[in-house]
Amino acid sequence: MTTRLASLALALLLTACRDDPDALRGDVQIVVAHEGEMMQAATRRLVRHGVAALPPIEAALHTADESGREHLVYALREIGEAEAIPLLRHIALHDAAEGVRREALLTLEQWAAAKDQEARARRARAAVREIQERPG
């Protein structure tokens, strides 16, 4: 019985810590500010959080430099959540840096072509069409 209670307590603790906003923001800041293994490790941690990682990523896009924004788009690509499509669409249309816009569009195009997640692919195709049809 004691082992069962300890296991339950550990599971509850891990669940509570899983989407800790401070931890998410810390990993987002690592993605923005670092290169290489440190950035990739933080990205992997964000991937494990899935949709919960999207709000702090979106917030960081407002203040990150060009390189940091490219890293954040990469993190969104790795997270792979369809809920990121409106954000990627916005980046592809409005980011000040061509490289960041290109990475966002590339992510949407890759998702649009993916065969394993049809609902996400359908939404990504619609976003790509909208971007391509925009005058400019």
Side-chain angles (χ1 to χ4, degrees):
M1 187 67 164
T2 306
T3 304
R4 181 177 281 178
L5 287 175
S7 296
L8 179 60
L10 179 60
L12 290 172
L13 178 62
L14 290 174
T15 300
C17 294
R18 187 182 65 202
D19 293 331
D20 174 33
D22 290 332
L24 287 169
R25 282 191 298 274
D27 282 334
V28 166
Q29 287 309 308
I30 291 170
V31 168
V32 167
H34 296 279
E35 301 277 341
E37 179 53 37
M38 192 169 191
M39 185 267 293
Q40 292 169 356
T43 299
R44 286 191 298 272
R45 288 190 298 273
L46 291 171
V47 167
R48 288 194 295 269
H49 291 284
V51 174
L54 300 183
I57 289 173
E58 182 174 7
L61 283 162
H62 296 287
T63 57
D65 65 10
E66 181 176 343
S67 174
R69 293 193 313 277
E70 283 186 21
H71 291 172
L72 292 170
V73 169
Y74 170 76
L76 290 170
R77 182 182 306 145
E78 293 299 305
I79 291 168
E81 295 287 346
E83 288 82 353
I85 290 172
L87 180 56
L88 288 164
R89 179 195 149 282
H90 180 82
I91 295 166
L93 288 170
H94 301 292
D95 196 274
E98 180 183 346
V100 178
R101 291 192 309 270
R102 186 176 49 247
E103 285 301 313
L105 180 57
L106 175 66
T107 299
L108 290 168
E109 289 171 340
Q110 287 177 356
W111 289 2
K115 305 283 188 222
D116 60 336
Q117 294 189 35
E118 186 52 39
R120 184 186 75 180
R122 195 171 33 257
R123 290 177 63 191
R125 284 192 295 272
V128 169
R129 270 193 310 278
E130 184 179 345
I131 293 164
Q132 291 172 340
E133 293 170 358
R134 266 320 247 283

